[in-house]
Amino acid sequence: MAWLSLKVLLVGVSFLGCLYPLVDFCFSGETRGQKPNFVIILADDMGWGDLGANWAETKDTANLDKMAAEGMRFVDFHAAASTCSPSRASLLTGRLGLRNGVTHNFAVTSVGGLPLNETTLAEVLREAGYVTGMIGKWHLGHHSSYHPNFRGFDYYFGIPYSHDMGCTDTPGYNHPPCPACPRGVRTPRRPERDCYTDVALPLYENLNIVEQPVNLSSLAQKYAEKAAQFIRRASTSGRPFLLYVGLAHMHVPFTRTPLSADPQDRTPYASGLWEMDTLVGQIKDSVDRTAKENTFLWFTGDNGPWAQKCELAGSVGPFTGLWQAQQGGSPAKQTTWEGGHRVPAVAYWPGRVPVNVTSTALLSVLDIFPTVIALAGASLPPGRRFDGLDVSEVLFGRSQTGHRVLFHPNSGAAGEYGVLQTVRLEHYKAFYVTGGARACDRSVGPEQHHEPPLIFNLEDVSEAVPLERGSTEYQSILPKVRDVLADLLQDIAHDNISRADYTQDPSVTPCCDPHQIACRCQTTSQTDIFTGRNTKK
């Protein structure tokens, strides 16, 4: 561990004698007007229909709806995968999982993470003079050099993986409880997801665990405060900044918190959605107060709702995947049906992004990487190929042209992880594999392989009835689908691809006190990101 301590020390010491935990906010010759700032907010398990501006039945997203009215809303925007780790890896690399190596989720005991030869958005921008921060859920590896502080982020405050992947003390809905579940004892809860036996959920500030288990009832407010602090300090430093916020919402578990303590009698999910919207509003307010004219804020989601959680899952809007629903199983998270990967997306940049515009361009989370790099005046990493596009012209209202083709990988449903099972070509969508995801009624759709593929015209937004294989429409689109898929696979075969290490070892489990049940520890101090001084708690 000596090398790790030395690296932390070298990273943590700033220029000109200024000392903040891993963050150099000191003036470096850049003036704030030269390069834009970026705030990227990624919701978790949020359905397309959970945004009120998308779906009139939703009444709990006033701040996001206001941001959409003041900016641009995208209605054909897609996650690069339909589960946590692969989607986040694609956001930070602009590459599909078959290229960046992240094809399924990392575990509490994972040794690896996003491969170290992959270059992250934060690394590119930091090289271009940006100060970089990450707040919230990481889920791309927590052990050793896979930690956010070694992947380009000067500052990190958050949880290393999903907040159902460890026990907590906070009462609420669908919580893994602490003390840890007794070994070998089946509890009345569903132990396959709801109860982890070994470790409490940790909260990190940079490389230090500052709370274990996390107090989920105060986590959203802490995120808001840390985001405001980072934005305020960075915006007055003379340096441009990147802040990436990985929200815990709308992933289970849910808990009542100060932010969600509103007077209306909402369901647990609606209350959580209202809390998430309040948190996003607070971050936007921080931007507006300090760096409004020069900050691009991009909000979207990592995948669709987790249908097997029933009333604790969100809304897919009209994208109900009826063909799959009739077969049994879920057409949402983990699948390549629209409900699994079509996500809310809003862009906000006063004076640059036109106001109250709805874009129908076919876009992807993959586009965030090349677009932000282009707007920052930086260069894409050499020696590799990218799946995202620079969509600046769409953002600025000068074009409605996005992708002609998108490819959707298996993200934990039927088939092999990461394999491109579905092809979106203009307004058509071809499925080579279906089934394999659990629905609310506990049914799992049968795994079915389709050759030739099922093809839907997405004018049928519910994906209810595929085209007849003998029809002229089907026969005209099938060779085009096969050609674009073959071209991409050939391109990947000649690319510089990575392979993630999915090895597991219990010794890498985050634990601040291995002598305590569930690794429980009491935090006595926490570092202030401005002064570098410890604050007693």
Side-chain angles (χ1 to χ4, degrees), residues 40-343:
I40 299 167
I41 303 177
L42 188 71
D44 198 345
D45 288 5
M46 182 181 181
W48 187 92
D50 285 337
L51 178 66
N54 283 347
W55 196 237
E57 294 178 16
T58 299
K59 308 295 184 184
D60 305 299
T61 58
N63 290 292
L64 278 167
D65 296 344
K66 181 174 182 288
M67 191 164 81
E70 296 172 344
M72 183 175 290
R73 175 171 60 100
F74 305 96
V75 294
D76 203 356
F77 195 96
H78 299 263
S82 52
T83 197
C84 304
S85 297
S87 184
R88 290 155 204 275
S90 290
L91 186 156
L92 289 177
T93 65
R95 286 153 58 86
L96 287 165
L98 285 184
R99 298 187 199 268
N100 66 39
V102 181
T103 58
H104 53 290
N105 287 340
F106 295 104
V108 174
T109 54
S110 285
V111 173
L114 175 64
L116 300 178
N117 60 321
E118 290 292 318
T119 304
T120 69
L121 179 61
E123 288 169 327
V124 175
L125 263 59
R126 188 165 69 177
E127 188 69 22
Y130 278 70
V131 61
T132 57
M134 199 257 154
I135 293 172
K137 172 181 169 179
W138 174 240
H139 214 169
L140 290 173
H142 53 272
H143 176 59
S144 187
S145 296
Y146 297 100
H147 186 281
N149 285 140
F150 300 124
R151 305 314 305 268
F153 290 101
D154 297 310
Y155 177 72
Y156 173 60
F157 182 86
I159 56 178
Y161 30 69
S162 298
H163 63 299
D164 67 338
M165 294 173 66
C167 68
T168 66
D169 291 332
T170 318
Y173 304 94
N174 204 236
H175 277 216
C178 280
C181 304
R183 293 180 185 274
V185 176
R186 295 185 65 85
T187 70
R189 306 169 72 86
R190 294 198 300 270
E192 72 271 18
R193 286 301 304 174
D194 295 343
C195 193
Y196 282 75
T197 59
D198 295 324
V199 64
L201 183 69
L203 176 66
Y204 278 83
E205 185 162 33
N206 296 318
L207 298 172
N208 299 315
I209 295 176
V210 296
E211 194 173 274
Q212 193 170 15
V214 175
N215 181 354
L216 290 178
S217 67
S218 61
L219 187 61
Q221 189 59 49
K222 287 177 181 175
Y223 284 175
E225 292 168 358
K226 294 296 185 181
Q229 291 173 359
F230 182 88
I231 291 167
R232 184 169 63 249
R233 182 68 192 183
S235 66
T236 59
S237 70
R239 296 183 62 188
F241 66 84
L242 164 70
L243 175 61
Y244 167 42
V245 183
L247 300 177
H249 305 80
M250 296 299 298
H251 200 294
V252 295
F254 295 110
T255 184
R256 291 205 172 271
T257 77
L259 284 185
S260 64
D262 66 292
Q264 299 189 33
D265 186 22
R266 291 179 167 92
T267 66
Y269 189 88
S271 181
L273 188 60
W274 187 87
E275 178 184 67
M276 182 207 72
D277 181 73
T278 301
L279 173 55
V280 172
Q282 290 177 336
I283 295 172
K284 177 179 176 290
D285 288 346
S286 295
V287 168
D288 287 345
R289 283 193 300 268
T290 56
K292 181 175 183 177
E293 304 303 324
N294 199 40
T295 301
F296 175 32
L297 196 160
W298 203 333
F299 173 91
T300 188
D302 69 338
N303 49 250
W306 199 359
Q308 73 181 67
K309 294 299 178 180
C310 301
E311 73 276 6
L312 300 181
S315 168
V316 296
F319 304 106
T320 51
L322 281 180
W323 186 92
Q324 182 63 68
Q326 290 165 359
Q327 305 283 319
S330 166
K333 178 179 176 176
Q334 299 180 312
T335 79
T336 59
W337 298 94
E338 291 295 290
H341 54 74
R342 190 182 292 230
V343 289

